[in-house]
């Protein structure tokens, strides 16, 4: 069974600094996908970025990039030039076959 | 498009009562799923469906039933509510293919309290 781990329950970062949120996964399937979602205090789930296991390049979406290290089974989210609005819960998720499994999340606090 | 809608937004039940959480999407998505979110536990998959007439269990299916008679609707039934089912419930949908089309679109959530 696949498993996904986010080891940082909480992080405090100064505004404008870059942030790296850790995510490791465990799957024996060669074909899978990895997502990151943001959940602000309002509660909605917002899709940020996707990386497929066969994608050769790391995914990027604006200020978000995914540091994908397949051999280490790591898919860290990097947020460049953090903003106060980035304060939220962040979830990593893995999709394999038809099941999507989420990590427990990291709460990010951006300090002014 | 309304996207993914969930009703009700809030619900309080007594132990043993039954109810159905409604979920609908208007994006013609094949894949729909239900999650529960508890503090410190992230989102846990309850049930999912890859198309009308097809459902399967996720990580925490006990105490919940689902059916998928149409592409648009995916209701979640609690047959006999228990306090352990107090949670926020999210419904999500996606095209169900590989790649970016697997992006899950989430509903706004239903906050359920079981007394």
């Amino acid at each position: 069974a696949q498993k996904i781990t986010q080891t940082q329950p909480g992080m405090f970062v100064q505004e404008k600094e870059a942030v790296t949120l850790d995510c490791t996964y465990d799957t024996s399937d060669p074909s899978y996908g990895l997502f990151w979602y943001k959940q602000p205090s309002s509660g909605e789930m917002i899709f940020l970025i996707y990386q497929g296991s066969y994608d050769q390049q790391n995914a990027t979406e604006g200020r978000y990039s995914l540091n994908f290290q397949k051999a280490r089974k790591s898919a860290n989210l990097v947020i460049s030039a953090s903003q106060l609005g980035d304060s939220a819960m962040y979830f990593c998720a893995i999709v394999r076959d038809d099941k999507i499994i989420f990590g427990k999340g990291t709460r990010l606090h951006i300090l002014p | 498009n309304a996207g993914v809608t969930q009703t009700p937004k809030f619900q309080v039940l007594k132990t043993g009562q039954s109810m159905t959480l409604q979920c609908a999407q208007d994006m013609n998505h094949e894949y729909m799923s239900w999650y529960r979110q508890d503090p410190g536990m992230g989102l846990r998959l309850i049930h999912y469906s890859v198309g009308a007439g097809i459902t399967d269990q996720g990580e925490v299916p006990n105490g919940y039933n689902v059916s998928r008679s149409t592409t648009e609707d995916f209701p979640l039934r609690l047959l006999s509510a228990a306090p352990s089912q107090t949670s926020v419930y999210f419904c999500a949908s996606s095209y169900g293919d590989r790649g970016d089309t697997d992006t899950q679109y989430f509903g706004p959530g239903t906050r359920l309290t079981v007394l």
Side-chain angles (χ1 to χ4, degrees), chain A residues 39 42-45, chain B residues 4-10 21-22 34-35 37 87-91 106-112:
Chain A
Q39 186 179 42
S42 54
E44 74 264 36
M45 295 289 288
Chain B
V4 180
T5 58
Q6 289 183 240
T7 55
K9 284 189 167 47
F10 301 94
L21 307 185
Q22 301 292 344
W34 276 101
Y35 297 88
Q37 183 176 23
S87 187
V88 179
Y89 290 85
F90 286 98
C91 178
F106 282 83
T110 294
R111 187 174 293 275
L112 176 67

Side-chain angles (χ1 to χ4, degrees), chain B residues 38-50:
Chain B
D38 303 293
M41 298 296 292
L43 280 83
R44 292 183 291 170
L45 181 64
I46 304 172
H47 286 285
Y48 65 98
S49 168
V50 299

Side-chain angles (χ1 to χ4, degrees), chain A residues 37-103:
Chain A
Y37 283 85
K38 172 184 178 181
Q39 186 179 42
S41 57
S42 54
E44 74 264 36
M45 295 289 288
I46 302 168
F47 165 75
L48 294 179
I49 199 165
Y50 171 84
Q51 177 90 41
S53 59
Y54 293 119
D55 294 340
Q56 296 294 322
Q57 291 190 317
N58 287 344
T60 60
E61 289 284 347
R63 293 187 300 113
Y64 304 107
S65 61
L66 207 152
N67 183 3
F68 184 49
Q69 298 184 45
K70 194 171 180 178
R72 297 179 62 187
K73 294 190 175 179
S74 165
N76 297 339
L77 177 71
V78 180
I79 307 174
S80 62
S82 59
Q83 302 170 357
L84 295 178
D86 294 333
S87 294
M89 280 290 287
Y90 288 81
F91 292 99
C92 182
I94 186 169
V95 57
R96 173 185 171 269
D97 292 333
D98 298 317
K99 287 191 178 178
I100 300 163
I101 305 298
F102 283 78

Side-chain angles (χ1 to χ4, degrees), chain B residues 70-89:
Chain B
T70 66
T71 299
E72 294 77 22
D73 300 297
F74 191 44
L76 178 73
R77 294 184 192 84
L78 284 72
L79 298 177
S80 179
S84 60
Q85 293 178 304
T86 293
S87 187
V88 179
Y89 290 85

Side-chain angles (χ1 to χ4, degrees), chain B residues 10-30:
Chain B
F10 301 94
Q11 183 70 49
V12 178
L13 292 178
K14 293 181 180 177
T15 298
Q17 286 185 317
S18 63
M19 81 158 295
T20 299
L21 307 185
Q22 301 292 344
C23 175
Q25 52 90 11
D26 60 359
M27 297 173 281
N28 204 31
H29 284 170
E30 290 295 323

